[in-house]
Amino acid sequence: MVHSSPTLLRPSAAFSLSAEQVGNAYARVRASLIGDELFVRDADMYDVTVDELDRRMGQPPDRLDSETSWDWLGGPDQYRWAALRVLAEAYPQADGQELTGRTVVPENTVHVIAADVHVEGDLVLEEQAMLFVLGRLRVTGALVGRAGYSVVAGREIECADGATAGEALALDSIRCPGTFYFGHNDCSARAASYEGGVLVDFERDNAFGRVEVRQRVTDWDFPAAARALGLPDDEDDLLEAYTEKLLGEQDGA
């Protein structure tokens, strides 16, 4: 597959939020959400509280964009995972979206898509990009979060291979039959289950409810991680090298 030019998710009208819809949805899921292991795990360590979640869900912004998102969703990733669950409950799904070729979420943009999204190609999130898919996100190629912070979230996330320094949040599952590298240790991924081939997340404290993989690299061993990623043992920057490998292979395939 050769990508001549990427498809950009253009900044559009900010996703409008209704305080009534958000509040009603939160009331429906609150009891199960605050008792969910994915919300409870590490909550004390990062000062995540139900009172703060109640406050946020009771005061959503009128719109969700790059200016308002951090006031509402900032802090530990549990709040973003919880918001994903509430938004998925609050907003019915529209018809699915089909995107062809390498799709790029530009830096410093926030996109909320109340539908299933199918990317026939790669999905690349630039630094400080946020993509919330309220349905299922399926990527036939590589799912890449550029070095720096980004968020990709969905009810389910599926990709052929992946690499990110940012967050990957899923209410149900992350599935990657190939190799996924969660690089750097500034973020965590959070999902009810992770299924796939090779999972390299030794730098992270990812919160996965169930893990079923062929191989998982969890020891603090960069050469071993490099070998699992198909890179030289002495590679200095695993994330950059593996990202280039994924996107380069996709270009040349």
Side-chain angles (χ1 to χ4, degrees):
M1 181 184 298
V2 177
H3 300 285
S4 57
S5 60
T7 298
L8 296 179
L9 284 183
R10 301 287 184 183
S12 57
F15 189 80
S16 297
L17 294 179
S18 161
E20 181 178 8
Q21 278 182 264
V22 171
N24 289 341
Y26 183 51
R28 292 194 295 270
V29 303
R30 181 182 184 276
S32 60
L33 193 162
I34 63 176
D36 194 302
E37 174 61 23
L38 288 182
F39 181 75
V40 173
R41 179 171 169 175
D42 300 330
D44 291 342
M45 182 182 300
Y46 297 107
D47 295 325
V48 174
T49 68
V50 174
D51 286 346
E52 175 61 14
L53 181 63
D54 287 344
R55 184 192 70 78
R56 294 183 187 214
M57 294 302 108
Q59 300 175 9
D62 293 334
R63 68 189 191 283
L64 198 57
D65 58 23
S66 59
E67 295 182 1
T68 63
S69 60
W70 288 114
D71 289 338
W72 195 46
L73 300 178
D77 63 274
Q78 283 96 327
Y79 292 124
R80 289 178 288 288
W81 182 85
L84 172 66
R85 185 167 178 184
V86 173
L87 292 176
E89 174 73 20
Y91 293 94
Q93 291 189 35
D95 292 338
Q97 290 195 17
E98 300 281 338
L99 300 169
T100 302
R102 181 167 296 164
T103 299
V104 176
V105 186
E107 64 181 10
N108 297 315
T109 62
V110 177
H111 295 264
V112 181
I113 301 176
D116 291 339
V117 175
H118 177 202
V119 179
E120 186 68 30
D122 306 321
L123 176 62
V124 180
L125 288 90
E126 301 290 356
E127 189 171 356
Q128 298 291 325
M130 300 177 69
L131 173 63
F132 283 81
V133 175
L134 305 188
R136 178 187 181 194
L137 172 62
R138 181 169 180 262
V139 181
T140 64
L143 172 58
V144 169
R146 296 289 191 186
Y149 182 78
S150 65
V151 179
V152 58
R155 184 178 293 278
E156 299 177 8
I157 297 174
E158 182 177 349
C159 61
D161 296 285
T164 186
E167 294 175 0
L169 309 173
L171 300 180
D172 296 330
S173 63
I174 298 175
R175 291 192 293 274
C176 177
T179 300
F180 206 124
Y181 175 40
F182 292 92
H184 301 178
N185 58 3
D186 297 325
C187 303
S188 295
R190 197 165 292 264
S193 69
Y194 184 98
E195 303 170 20
V198 179
L199 171 59
V200 181
D201 63 343
F202 70 106
E203 296 170 88
R204 300 283 198 103
D205 185 24
N206 288 335
F208 298 136
R210 176 176 59 87
V211 176
E212 292 185 3
V213 295
R214 186 175 72 253
Q215 178 186 3
R216 187 176 188 182
V217 178
T218 57
D219 291 336
W220 196 266
D221 186 335
F222 281 89
R227 289 192 293 272
L229 297 171
L231 299 172
D233 286 9
D234 59 354
E235 176 59 56
D236 291 333
D237 190 331
L238 293 182
L239 185 64
E240 181 178 0
Y242 186 57
T243 294
E244 290 181 357
K245 177 183 176 182
L246 286 182
L247 299 183
E249 285 181 350
Q250 294 293 333
D251 276 338

